[in-house]
Amino acid sequence: ATSIREDYVSLIPLLDPALGAQQDAHYFVLLQNAEEIRQSGGFPGTSALITIHDGRLADIQIQSTVLLDKAYLDRRATPLAAPGPIREYLKQEEWLPHDALWSADFPTAVSSMGLLCPSTSWPASAATR
């Protein structure tokens, strides 16, 4: 118990913001389809925008990532060029949000999402978490 307390007691102040105590907490979650294998696990064909208010689920919007791609293309004058493997094997010149998880390295994949999602018209607080 002492070890657990020492390791995790410093994280307790993070619970209030994470659970929407002072203001709503927004989360953007990509749901991967394991039937369509990709480097990060599966194809992220569906996404969810989740809002937590006072520790309770206040709202959840589940949508196709096609809508995220469309929002990205509508708001960005010049889409980013797709990484080499996507251009070569998928024959896709633009780097779209549904392909942001092309890296098998989780921190790299999340960083890629951070480049693409804030450019959408989706709620900024959800797209940046």
Side-chain angles (χ1 to χ4, degrees):
T2 301
S3 172
I4 291 172
R5 180 173 44 91
E6 290 172 3
D7 290 343
Y8 296 104
V9 79
S10 65
L11 300 176
I12 290 174
L14 300 176
L15 289 177
D16 279 350
L19 297 175
Q22 289 91 17
Q23 64 182 26
D24 288 353
H26 301 278
Y27 296 92
F28 175 69
V29 179
L30 286 174
L31 306 169
Q32 296 180 326
N33 178 354
E35 298 297 315
E36 293 185 57
I37 300 298
R38 296 293 191 275
Q39 296 87 327
S40 64
F43 180 75
T46 306
S47 63
L49 294 171
I50 299 170
T51 302
I52 306 293
H53 177 78
D54 287 333
R56 296 175 190 243
L57 179 64
D59 186 46
I60 185 168
Q61 298 173 31
I62 299 173
Q63 300 175 347
S64 168
T65 53
V66 169
L67 297 174
L68 179 61
D69 290 345
K70 183 177 178 342
Y72 170 74
L73 291 170
D74 287 348
R75 296 275 304 224
R76 191 162 178 102
T78 306
L80 296 174
I86 292 174
R87 285 194 314 270
E88 183 176 346
Y89 297 109
L90 298 180
K91 307 300 183 209
Q92 178 179 302
E93 294 300 316
E94 300 168 337
W95 196 13
L96 300 174
H98 76 261
D99 290 319
L101 302 179
W102 73 280
S103 175
D105 175 62
F106 184 73
T108 301
V110 170
S111 177
S112 298
M113 282 303 294
L115 289 173
L116 301 174
C117 285
S119 298
T120 71
S121 59
W122 288 37
S125 56
T128 58
R129 292 193 188 235

